[in-house]
């Protein structure tokens, strides 16, 4: 046996054959937040002996001391509904807010389940016999204690136990290694003395690094956004909203390309349901798989249904260890969808069921009988086949602020049916349908790019490009050169302007003929004066943020990424592109043209990061400033 632990950010291990465990539990749950509190309660209710450790002084995590009161998409059903029912019942006869009520009720349910709870307790080590987790070391009340277990559930939010155990993990996006912006909730009292909360975004934080996390905590509590402060300020919530961190490589890792290819699991534990909610405007740097969907087809706010396999909870090559938090086995694109509160609660319940079956049958976690797991999760409502609903348009309001009527999406399968939607300002489904059809759609699309109708020919150019065909590249160049300002209207938010979409495809095709236009966009001091960036073409389809020129930012970031893709494909163009980057980004003039927000704000951090992405790409080419 060995004990694994972290020292100065690195994982180390020492022999531990002589360890004396204080007590043995069937299940140890590390973290009693959104997922962990449900996991501990569910495991206890199944008759397992449970130890729940939590570094804070109460359970609930994001849904209590994080200040998040409601749910954003996800699918209903499961053990959490009993938590919610009792919270509502408690509130009806007490004066506490929903956040305080959740703390009280969650602890009551945990105690009723028989779980032993240890607050203000920190995980300090993991015991492994080979690749089987068999215990944990914790620091509590200034004393180190060792506990044995059959299964350890990592519900820390950031996969701390999995990382400590040496599991293979991913972090951040490929372009710059960054994660999504974090947020912070503040409590306000409005003019009617009603308590409410505000939730707004800040820059990126690497919560693995003490300095980065400390800076984020200090800045978020000192920075004011007056437009979000209607009312009397009461307090900042103590837990900031970190949306993304480490992710395990699991026995079955869900990736966006597999969802698009419809090669998903046949052993789901629940269905995730949301849009790919990135909380960042810099989609240019999120990669081509996501870019084809959000930029190339303007479907960024469409909702996806993703069956989540139970094997996504199991780190690859390990036993006795489950990851029931946002660090479970998904790529960073899917993580922006599956991190929602309801999904995390379901992941906690599913992890408890997997653990129970493994203990009951005396088998590895990977070999539990799925039929029994499905029956358990279906009975509680955690898994409901009725919620396998594919792609949908959903939300409260459309891009004009009108009430939105949710609907399912059926992709077009016959090329002749593409013409009508491509002639509209909502061509996204037709563009993606053409992508799905591929070569079959191209003859019709070639006819449509010759149309005299401007919408038809331009949107057909996007559709043809989505199939991988360069036949409309002249039209793409024209739209980019004209900074085509027309904003499409497929989505309730995050719609794209045609000029930015054209730039995206020119980058995908690594079009050297576009370099001049792209260079002008990022270097010309008079570029921001163009009408395309005035905001008058936005048609109410975007969130407006004072001090941030979103349209101009989108063109600049897409142009920079297109130049990087051209440089990746054409070695002879790299020095020229580096000179363009030096002209554009060496000083901070370009930042001031886009935003007046400080660097650590969400907008400021995205703007300043453009030069980092650009010069990092040049560095990979072997070129330096």
């Amino acid at each position: 046996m060995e004990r694994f632990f972290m020292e100065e950010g690195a994982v180390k291990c020492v022999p531990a054959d002589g360890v004396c465990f204080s007590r043995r539990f069937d299940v140890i749950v590390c973290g009693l937040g959104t997922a962990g509190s449900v996991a501990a309660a569910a495991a206890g209710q199944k008759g397992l002996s449970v130890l729940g450790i939590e570094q804070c002084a109460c359970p609930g995590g994001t849904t209590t001391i994080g200040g998040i009161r409601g749910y954003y998409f996800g699918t209903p059903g499961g053990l959490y509904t009993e938590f919610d029912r009792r919270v509502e019942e408690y509130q009806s006869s007490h004066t506490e807010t929903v956040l305080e009520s959740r703390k009280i009720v969650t602890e009551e349910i945990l105690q009723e389940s028989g779980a032993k709870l240890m607050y203000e307790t920190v995980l300090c080590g993991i015991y492994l016999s080979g690749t089987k987790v068999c215990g944990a070391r914790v620091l509590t009340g200034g004393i180190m204690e060792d506990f044995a277990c059959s299964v350890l559930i990592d519900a820390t939010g950031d996969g701390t136990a999995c990382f400590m155990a040496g599991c293979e993990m991913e972090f951040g996006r490929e372009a710059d290694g960054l994660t999504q912006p974090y947020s912070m909730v503040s409590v306000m009292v409005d003019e009617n003395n009603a308590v409410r909360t505000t939730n707004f975004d800040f820059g990126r934080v690497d919560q693995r690094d003490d300095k980065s996390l400390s800076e984020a905590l200090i800045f978020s509590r000192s920075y004011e956004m007056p437009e979000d402060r209607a009312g009397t300020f009461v307090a900042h919530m103590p837990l900031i909203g970190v949306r993304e961190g480490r992710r395990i490589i699991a026995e079955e890792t869900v990736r966006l390309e597999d969802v698009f290819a419809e090669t998903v699991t046949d052993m789901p534990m629940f269905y995730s349901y949301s849009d790919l909610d990135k909380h960042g405007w810099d989609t240019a740097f999120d990669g081509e798989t996501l870019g084809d969907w959000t930029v190339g087809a303007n479907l960024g706010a469409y909702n996806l249904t993703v069956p989540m396999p139970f094997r996504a909870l199991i780190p690859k090559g390990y036993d006795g260890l489950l990851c029931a938090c946002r660090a479970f086995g998904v790529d960073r694109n899917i993580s922006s969808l599956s991190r929602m509160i309801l999904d995390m609660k379901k992941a906690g319940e599913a992890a408890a069921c997997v653990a129970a079956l493994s203990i009951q049958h005396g088998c590895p976690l990977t070999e539990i009988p799925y039929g029994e797991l499905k029956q358990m999760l279906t009975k509680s409502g955690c898994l409901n086949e009725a919620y396998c609903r594919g792609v949908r348009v959903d939300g409260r309001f459309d891009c004009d602020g009108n009430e939105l009527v949710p609907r399912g999406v059926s992709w077009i399968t016959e090329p002749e049916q593409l013409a009508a939607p491509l002639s509209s300002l909502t061509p996204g489904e037709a563009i993606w349908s053409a992508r799905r059809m591929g070569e079959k759609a191209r003859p019709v699309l070639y006819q449509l790019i010759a149309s005299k109708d401007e919408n038809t020919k331009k949107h057909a150019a996007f559709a043809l490009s989505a199939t991988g065909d360069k036949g409309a590249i002249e039209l793409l160049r024209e739209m980019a050169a004209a900074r085509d300002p027309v904003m499409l209207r497929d989505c309730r938010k995050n719609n794209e302007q045609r000029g930015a979409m054209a730039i995206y495809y020119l980058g995908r095709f690594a079009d050297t003929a576009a370099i001049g236009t792209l260079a002008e966009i990022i270097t010309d001091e008079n570029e921001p004066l163009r009408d395309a960036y005035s905001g008058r073409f936005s048609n109410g389809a975007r969130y407006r943020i004072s001090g941030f020129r979103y349209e101009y930012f989108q063109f600049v970031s897409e142009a920079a990424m297109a130049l990087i893709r051209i440089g990746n494909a054409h070695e002879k163009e790299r020095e020229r592109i580096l000179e363009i980057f030096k002209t554009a980004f060496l000083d901070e003039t370009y930042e001031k043209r886009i935003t007046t927000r400080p660097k650590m704000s969400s907008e400021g951090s995205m703007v300043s990061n453009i030069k980092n992405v650009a010069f990092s790409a040049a560095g990979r080419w072997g070129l330096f400033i």
Side-chain angles (χ1 to χ4, degrees), residues 546-549 552 590-598 601 603-605 607-608:
S546 63
F548 179 57
R549 303 189 65 179
Y552 179 46
Y590 86 95
E591 298 179 35
K592 296 173 183 177
R593 292 199 294 263
I594 301 174
T595 187
T596 57
R597 298 281 190 182
S601 69
E603 297 75 31
S605 66
V607 173
S608 63

Side-chain angles (χ1 to χ4, degrees), residues 263-275:
T263 55
V264 294
T265 186
D266 59 356
M267 293 190 290
M269 54 182 172
F270 60 86
Y271 292 98
S272 285
Y273 178 71
S274 176
D275 57 323

Side-chain angles (χ1 to χ4, degrees), residues 401-434:
N402 300 316
E403 185 175 352
L404 186 151
V405 179
R407 64 175 177 84
V409 173
S410 297
W411 303 116
I412 298 168
T413 57
E414 297 302 324
E416 292 74 18
Q417 297 174 358
L418 294 171
L422 288 176
S423 68
S424 72
L425 288 178
T426 55
E429 292 177 31
I431 293 170
W432 195 258
S433 295

Side-chain angles (χ1 to χ4, degrees), residues 456-516:
T456 299
K457 70 178 182 180
K458 289 181 176 179
H459 301 159
F462 296 145
L464 185 62
S465 300
T467 72
D469 191 305
K470 299 181 182 181
I473 203 160
E474 286 293 341
L475 262 175
L476 298 177
R477 291 170 185 158
E478 290 175 13
M479 282 187 274
R483 319 299 196 263
D484 191 321
V486 172
M487 182 174 286
L488 301 186
R489 303 177 65 78
D490 298 281
C491 296
R492 59 187 169 83
K493 62 175 183 177
N494 298 346
N495 287 301
E496 298 288 334
Q497 287 179 282
R498 286 198 300 224
M501 294 171 70
I503 291 169
Y504 173 76
Y505 280 118
L506 290 171
R508 289 286 269 123
F509 291 140
D511 181 39
T512 57
I515 291 177

